[in-house]
């Protein structure tokens, strides 16, 4: 069983990989489960998640959200995060899937 | 909701591969698009190199730097969103045309002022035109259950027109057997002006304008209304609203929009809790308002029947002023009372706890008033006290609006909203669980709501297997908000939201300071809904409003 690293890698369906802080990715219960080193998922072994249904352009925005949330979780006046109009339905489906 | 400020993007010259809006082309594309969509969605979940459904075809999805270069530019997309954008354009044009028509109708009222020699014929014809317009609107109104407009409502519409024609501010629609009231019936009340100025032949000046603003008294009592038309909450000139003896189950938070309201009566309905916004209306801050809530089957925090569990001599005695001044920490005093009770009598019941909290709130309120008067501040007091008592357990929701964990049985006679000592005991644990940042789901849904015409998208949604049922209902909610009174307001931070992340019931004492014991008549339940888990912060024992 591999040890828990500070960073994890998320890979999109078109092969783009994004390295993010484990703590910020764990706000998604789905990713948290997949990356749990005590769990049965293969993903936990090499601290890498392949998101087969997510294009890179969407995953990039998801990662941006992880940091946005990390930065603003205690903020009083939370600024709006920019959501590109053409991506909003895909992001909606992605956030629905990741439960974030 | 405001109309989109800019028209939908049209194909640009530098994007030659994109299809045009030609109807023939779109008809022939329809089949192709459906096919495309189907294939795309069945692929959702399997690795595929197909371009994403709604992302820009000019960026191959991997060229991140290219994407970074122009992050803000709205680009045309292929797939069903074409239809959405196109539909939006059409309905925008339609609604603009409608506004135009209405504006013409409006100016008709001032016909006499526009041209000095305008005849009365002209005025009458314009009034007729307005009525015709109102009738057209009525016909436009989508009412599934109404093939024929019920006689009761047709009569109500005539009464409303009569009031508008005569400039009569008392609109009495009570006892009319109304089971439904549409927006179109009430909408003419926007045109109501004070009678004394109906005959003038010049346009009103700034000074004259405010006396023209009516103070509408709308009586809808003794009907069988189960819902209120949204238009009612746009009639901000209502000063008296009687909804007594109807079949309403909820009162919309939009009631807070009627900020000129002096009198509200919702007695004799089927209302089991009040919107949080009504607390703000009860908290008058110097404004004199009369709000009648009872009788209604309002839920209770706990059993409040029978005598108080607290022995009168020790616990519910009034604190003298000098005694209060000695209390350096009022909360300690009340805690000591609680400890004393537990030592002497055993476990304190919820009812007893609420009475101690009432006492605490009263003491803190008196101290606050004393300090205010010492500082020379003049306070306009309500005669009634408004003191926080308790909350139910907070129900948390996921980003998509589904409940996180069931707390108690669902909708079983108000049991789920019973008062508890630790309302946030069921708070989700883990990182970010107390975040006040909006969810990505909310952000994306809001973007969808502002940038597309969801009304046109809804019928196509069922053909989309990639959309889960919770996502579909979230989109329907967003569309309904756009169509209706806008998104909800967070009761903690005031931000607008589409999907509530938590809700709970708060019980407040609303009664006279002379009342020693809690009775169910003096406790009001308010439903609070918030934008984030971090905003799920119930009021604290001892809170009060002046
Ligand atoms: Zn909030």
């Amino acid at each position: 069983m591999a040890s828990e690293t500070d960073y994890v890698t998320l890979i999109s369906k078109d092969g783009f990989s994004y390295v993010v802080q484990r703590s910020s990715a764990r706000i998604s219960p789905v990713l948290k489960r997949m990356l749990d080193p005590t769990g049965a998922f293969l993903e936990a072994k090499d601290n890498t998640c392949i998101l087969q249904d997510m294009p890179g352009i969407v995953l990039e925005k998801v990662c941006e959200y992880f940091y946005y949330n990390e930065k603003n979780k205690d903020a009083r006046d939370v600024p709006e995060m920019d959501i590109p109009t053409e991506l909003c339905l895909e992001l909606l489906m992605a956030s629905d899937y990741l439960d974030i | 909701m405001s109309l989109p400020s800019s028209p939908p993007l049209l194909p640009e010259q530098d994007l030659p591969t994109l299809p045009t809006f030609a109807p023939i082309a779109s008809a022939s594309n329809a089949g192709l698009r459906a096919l495309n969509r189907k294939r795309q969605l069945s692929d959702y979940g399997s690795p595929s190199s197909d371009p994403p459904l709604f992302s820009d075809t000019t960026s191959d999805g991997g060229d991140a730097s290219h994407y970074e270069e122009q992050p803000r530019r709205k680009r045309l997309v292929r797939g069903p969103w074409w239809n959405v954008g196109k539909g939006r354009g059409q309905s925008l044009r339609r609604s603009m045309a409608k506004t135009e028509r209405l504006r013409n109708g409006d100016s008709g009222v001032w016909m006499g002022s526009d041209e000095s020699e305008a005849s009365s014929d002209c005025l009458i014809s314009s009034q007729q035109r307005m009525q015709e317009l109102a009738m057209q609107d009525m016909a436009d109104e989508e009412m599934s259950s109404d093939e024929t407009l019920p006689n009761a409502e047709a009569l109500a519409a005539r009464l409303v027109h009569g009031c508008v024609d005569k400039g009569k501010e008392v609109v009495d629609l009570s006892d009319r057997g109304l089971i439904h009231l549409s927006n179109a019936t009430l909408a003419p009340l926007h045109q109501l002006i004070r009678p004394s100025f109906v005959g003038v032949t010049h346009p009103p000046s700034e000074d004259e304008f405010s006396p023209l603003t009516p103070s509408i008294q709308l009586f809808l009592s003794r009907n069988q209304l189960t819902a209120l038309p949204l238009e009612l909450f746009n009639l901000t000139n209502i000063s008296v609203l009687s909804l007594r003896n109807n079949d309403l189950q909820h009162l919309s938070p939009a009631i807070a929009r009627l900020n000129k309201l002096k009198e509200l009566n919702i007695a004799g309905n089927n209302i089991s809790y009040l919107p949080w916004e009504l607390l703000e209306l009860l908290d008058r801050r110097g404004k004199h308002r009369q709000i009648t809530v009872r009788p209604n089957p309002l839920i209770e925090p706990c059993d409040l029947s029978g005598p108080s569990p607290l022995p009168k001599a020790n616990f519910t005695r009034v604190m003298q002023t000098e005694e209060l001044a000695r209390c350096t920490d009022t909360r300690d005093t009340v805690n000591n009372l609680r400890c004393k009770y537990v030592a002497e009598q055993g476990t304190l019941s919820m009812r007893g706890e609420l009475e101690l909290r009432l006492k605490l709130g009263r003491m803190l309120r008196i101290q606050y008033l004393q300090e205010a008067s010492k500082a020379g501040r003049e306070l306009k007091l309500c005669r009634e006290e408004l003191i926080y008592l308790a909350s139910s357990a907070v129900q948390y929701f996921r980003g998509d609006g589904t409940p996180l964990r069931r707390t108690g049985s669902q909708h079983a006679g108000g049991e789920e909203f019973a008062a508890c000592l630790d309302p946030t005991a069921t708070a989700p644990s883990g990182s970010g669980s107390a975040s006040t940042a909006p969810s990505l789901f909310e952000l994306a849904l809001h973007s969808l709501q502002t940038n597309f015409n969801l009304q046109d998208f809804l019928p196509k949604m069922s053909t989309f297997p990639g959309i889960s049922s919770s996502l579909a209902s979230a989109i329907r909610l967003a569309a309904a908000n756009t169509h209706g009174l806008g998104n909800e307001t967070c009761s903690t931070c005031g931000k607008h939201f589409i999907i509530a992340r938590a809700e709970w019931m708060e019980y407040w004492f609303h009664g006279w300071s002379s009342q020693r014991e809690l009775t169910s008549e003096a406790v009001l339940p308010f439903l609070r809904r918030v934008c984030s888990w971090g905003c799920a912060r119930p009021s604290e024992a001892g809170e009060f409003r002046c």
Side-chain angles (χ1 to χ4, degrees):
Chain A
M1 194 167 291
S3 60
E4 213 179 90
T5 53
D6 286 347
Y7 289 86
V8 292
T9 308
L10 306 177
I11 300 175
S12 72
K13 75 168 179 187
D14 41 4
F16 287 87
S17 58
Y18 298 87
V19 179
V20 293
Q21 265 179 345
R22 180 187 292 271
S23 61
S24 59
R26 276 165 62 111
I27 62 156
S28 160
V30 178
L31 292 183
K32 190 182 168 187
R33 230 173 297 130
M34 286 168 91
L35 293 165
D36 182 2
T38 61
F41 287 97
L42 278 175
E43 279 85 353
K45 253 189 174 165
D46 41 8
N47 298 304
T48 299
C49 264
I50 300 166
L51 295 155
Q52 296 181 325
D53 44 5
M54 227 171 274
I57 196 165
V58 172
L59 186 55
E60 185 187 320
K61 217 55 196 168
V62 166
C63 294
E64 190 188 322
Y65 175 76
F66 285 150
Y67 282 102
Y68 164 85
N69 184 71
E70 184 82 20
K71 203 174 125 206
N72 292 299
K73 61 184 175 191
D74 303 318
R76 211 153 250 257
D77 281 309
V78 182
E80 284 279 302
M81 186 177 124
D82 184 48
I83 303 287
T85 307
E86 65 273 21
L87 284 183
C88 61
L89 189 66
E90 280 181 303
L91 273 170
L92 201 52
M93 291 204 222
S95 61
D96 190 30
Y97 169 70
L98 292 171
D99 195 5
I100 52 173
Chain B
M1 276 280 101
S2 55
L3 290 167
S5 55
S6 59
L9 289 174
L10 290 171
E12 287 167 40
Q13 293 307 315
D14 56 335
L15 300 169
T17 52
L18 292 164
T20 60
F21 276 125
I24 313 152
S26 76
S28 63
N29 279 346
L32 201 145
R33 213 180 294 127
L35 237 168
N36 208 347
R37 185 198 299 151
K38 206 167 179 179
R39 180 167 52 100
Q40 188 68 40
L41 284 156
S42 60
D43 281 355
Y44 205 82
S46 67
S48 152
S49 59
D50 275 0
L53 190 55
F54 296 119
S55 46
D56 187 355
T57 47
T58 59
S59 106
D60 57 7
D63 194 353
S65 62
H66 169 77
Y67 166 66
E68 288 263 326
E69 268 165 37
Q70 320 172 307
R72 278 171 200 284
R73 194 170 144 214
K74 288 185 187 180
R75 281 175 297 204
L76 283 171
V77 292
R78 67 186 187 81
W81 286 104
W82 271 105
N83 286 348
V84 176
K86 191 172 147 198
R88 171 183 163 224
Q90 281 171 343
S91 74
L92 177 66
R93 240 168 284 136
R94 215 185 304 131
S95 59
M96 271 163 65
K98 203 170 168 185
T99 322
E100 201 60 40
R101 261 193 325 177
L102 284 173
R103 200 176 300 134
N104 288 342
D106 265 344
S107 69
V109 176
W110 299 109
M111 214 45 137
S113 58
D114 290 345
E115 290 193 15
S116 51
E117 70 256 276
S119 64
S120 58
D121 275 350
C122 211
L123 239 162
I124 288 165
S125 71
S126 69
Q127 269 174 4
Q128 275 174 346
R129 209 170 76 230
M130 272 194 61
Q131 269 171 13
E132 279 164 19
L133 282 174
M135 294 307 279
Q136 269 176 26
D137 273 6
M138 218 177 286
D140 284 351
E141 181 97 358
E142 62 265 292
M143 286 187 298
S144 50
S145 61
D146 269 55
E147 250 64 76
T148 60
L149 197 65
N151 287 336
E153 202 180 344
L155 181 62
R158 269 206 297 282
L159 286 168
V160 167
H161 276 289
C163 288
V164 174
D165 289 348
K166 297 192 194 90
K168 204 169 150 232
E169 290 167 292
V170 179
V171 184
D172 188 357
L173 302 178
S174 56
D175 224 348
R176 296 280 166 196
L178 288 169
I179 44 172
H180 180 267
L181 194 59
S182 59
N183 288 332
T185 303
L186 288 184
L189 288 177
H190 283 294
Q191 269 84 51
L192 187 73
I193 50 163
R194 284 238 155 121
S196 52
F197 286 90
V198 166
V200 296
T201 51
H202 61 277
S205 68
E206 273 299 313
D207 300 348
E208 284 169 328
F209 191 73
S210 70
L212 286 173
T213 310
S215 162
I216 300 173
Q217 301 182 25
L218 181 57
F219 293 90
L220 290 165
S221 42
R222 295 192 302 281
N223 287 295
Q224 287 116 54
L225 296 173
T226 51
L228 297 172
L230 302 179
E231 198 59 51
L232 178 68
F233 302 103
N234 291 327
L235 292 165
T236 48
N237 288 325
I238 292 183
S239 64
V240 175
L241 178 61
S242 177
L243 302 166
R244 197 162 51 89
N245 290 357
N246 277 283
D247 294 327
L248 301 172
Q249 292 198 325
H250 304 279
L251 183 63
S252 167
I255 192 72
R257 291 179 174 210
L258 306 180
N259 56 0
K260 292 182 189 161
L261 211 54
K262 291 198 182 77
E263 219 178 304
L264 172 68
N265 192 330
I266 56 166
N269 280 280
N270 208 10
I271 293 171
S272 53
Y273 59 85
L274 305 167
W276 174 251
E277 286 75 3
L278 197 68
L279 185 83
E280 308 297 320
L281 283 185
L282 285 166
D283 171 19
R284 286 179 282 200
R285 292 201 188 92
K287 277 186 189 168
H288 183 79
R289 279 199 189 101
Q290 191 180 338
I291 299 179
T292 311
V293 169
R294 290 176 198 279
N296 261 308
L298 297 175
I299 55 173
E300 294 177 10
C302 57
D303 185 16
L304 293 171
S305 58
S308 164
L310 300 180
K312 273 199 176 60
N314 290 334
F315 293 95
T316 53
R317 190 172 50 89
V318 199
M319 282 262 189
Q320 296 307 310
T321 315
E322 58 274 18
E323 224 178 323
L324 268 176
R326 279 204 306 274
C327 293
T328 42
D329 196 328
T330 316
R331 288 176 192 275
D332 281 348
T333 314
V334 173
N335 280 339
N336 290 341
L337 279 180
R338 188 184 289 111
C339 293
K340 190 177 160 200
Y341 180 92
V342 172
E344 286 171 12
Q345 325 263 335
T347 323
L348 184 64
S349 68
M350 182 55 81
R351 162 99 187 259
E353 175 66 29
L354 297 191
E355 297 206 350
L356 278 183
R357 289 185 185 187
L358 175 61
K359 191 179 177 69
L360 172 66
R362 278 177 166 162
M363 286 161 71
L364 291 170
R365 180 174 180 266
I366 291 171
Q367 282 179 334
Y368 171 80
L369 295 176
Q370 280 174 345
E371 269 161 40
S373 75
K374 256 187 247 161
R377 270 181 292 147
E378 197 158 327
L379 290 170
K380 283 179 186 156
L381 283 181
C382 337
R383 285 173 304 164
E384 282 141 312
E385 292 174 327
L386 206 48
I387 293 169
Y388 170 74
L389 294 175
S391 289
S392 70
V394 174
Q395 171 69 65
Y396 294 87
F397 299 105
R398 289 194 189 85
D400 63 1
T402 51
L404 195 65
R405 204 179 299 152
R406 288 253 169 255
T407 47
S409 53
Q410 202 193 6
H411 298 293
E415 292 268 310
E416 61 171 328
F417 290 127
C420 68
L421 291 175
D422 187 5
T424 52
T426 53
S429 55
S431 61
S433 62
S435 173
T436 50
S439 65
L440 182 59
F441 190 90
E442 173 81 18
L443 289 165
L445 186 59
H446 188 248
S447 173
L448 193 72
Q449 187 191 44
T450 19
N451 293 301
F452 296 96
N453 186 336
L454 293 178
Q455 221 63 42
D456 288 0
F457 175 62
L458 289 180
K460 297 175 196 114
M461 203 162 61
S462 56
T463 62
F464 253 90
I467 293 183
S468 69
S469 65
S470 59
L471 178 50
S473 56
I475 293 175
R476 269 194 292 274
L477 176 61
N481 286 356
T482 308
H483 199 59
L485 293 163
N487 294 335
E488 278 185 79
T489 308
C490 174
S491 73
T492 299
C493 73
K495 222 162 37 189
H496 291 288
F497 64 84
I498 302 169
I499 305 292
R501 298 304 302 280
E503 69 175 25
W504 68 95
M505 200 65 73
E506 281 196 6
Y507 298 94
W508 285 66
F509 175 82
H510 183 242
W512 311 102
S513 50
S514 55
Q515 188 178 340
R516 289 289 140 236
E517 286 183 14
L518 266 187
T519 55
S520 51
E521 286 74 36
V523 180
L524 294 177
F526 297 95
L527 184 72
R528 280 187 71 170
R529 284 161 67 80
V530 290
C531 73
S532 62
W533 290 348
C535 277
R537 295 195 302 270
S539 303
E540 279 171 32
E543 268 189 52
F544 60 88
R545 301 291 169 94
C546 272

